[in-house]
Amino acid sequence: MPTTAPWPPTDPGQRQRLLAHLAHEYFVEGTSKIALGKKSGLSRFQVAALLQEAQDTGIVRIEIAVPLENSDEDLARAAGLQRLVTVGSAQWPADREALAKAVAREITRVLHDDDVLGISWSRTLQLVVHDLPALPHNDVIQLAGALSTDDRAAESPRLLASLRCRSAWPLWAPLVVEQADSLKKSREIELTLRRADSLDVAVLAVGGWTPDTSTVWPRIADDVAHAAQRAGAVAEVSGHLLDAEGHELDTPVSGMIVAASVAQLRAARRKVAVASGAERAPAVLAAVRGGLVDHLVCDAALRDALEGLLPRAAPAGGE
């Protein structure tokens, strides 16, 4: 006689699919446990146990956003931003994964069907790609060459590999390379960079221009990095260096970068940026002044540092 398969299933793949289905119905659609039990042939107690299993195994991750006492809207207005999203607090600092999730949510807020989405390269943006939902109606472009970071070196050339979208345009090049102009003439790289002319949403990371706040600085000669600093560099965005007023600097570093141009990034309808750490506040202001950031996701330390650098705007409706 045929053996009846156990229910709920014990097969790992089938069980994970069931856990994901139940979790979506309960946490997203608001279906009750009783209704879920009737639909899936399970008791209410089995449904409760499976939902707990979904949380314990990481299929469900619950976040609680605590609003800040001082409005991010006022600070955004003072900084010249359309929107500021602070993640974490002074007591519970945000880690890179929390920032990445917030960036992914911000992308889904501003992205429309048929928009062209561009994503630059950073350790945080590598995680953002994994947190994005399927984008079946969007083309996605990698805006900057790869950097091997921490223990993710094996994944470095594959920024868009896990992303489900209408079409993906990877940039098969390192971010920093001698004679970058010659490399950018190769057909594959040229085609990807040319598509950045049609950007609707650009997703960027803002770094400073010191050894500890930029992933580019350690990859170039120390004398070249210091010379750029003396020339006024305070910010690095997709490998491009900006002065405090947001002007792009023409330094030898420019000839070592494989990335979409500042003009291409600035032309996007929305520029979503991520940065963390109080020490990057001057760099963020430079990027905003340069027209490269209008939506900022940051941690509490950076937010507080920005507040210290800017005069507070009067609250809406105030004198």
Side-chain angles (χ1 to χ4, degrees), residues 19-40:
L19 293 176
H21 171 75
L22 292 174
H24 180 84
E25 289 289 320
Y26 181 74
F27 290 105
V28 178
E29 301 297 336
T31 307
S32 70
K33 294 174 184 176
I34 294 174
L36 274 177
K38 291 179 179 178
K39 290 171 65 175
S40 56

Side-chain angles (χ1 to χ4, degrees), residues 80-117:
L81 292 162
Q82 293 181 23
R83 180 170 160 84
L84 172 64
V85 177
T86 304
V87 184
S89 65
Q91 292 77 21
W92 293 281
D95 59 16
R96 188 171 289 133
E97 290 187 356
L99 288 165
K101 291 180 188 301
V103 173
R105 289 193 295 269
E106 200 63 20
I107 292 171
T108 60
R109 286 186 73 257
V110 302
L111 191 69
H112 304 151
D113 284 354
D114 296 320
D115 276 353
V116 175
L117 170 65

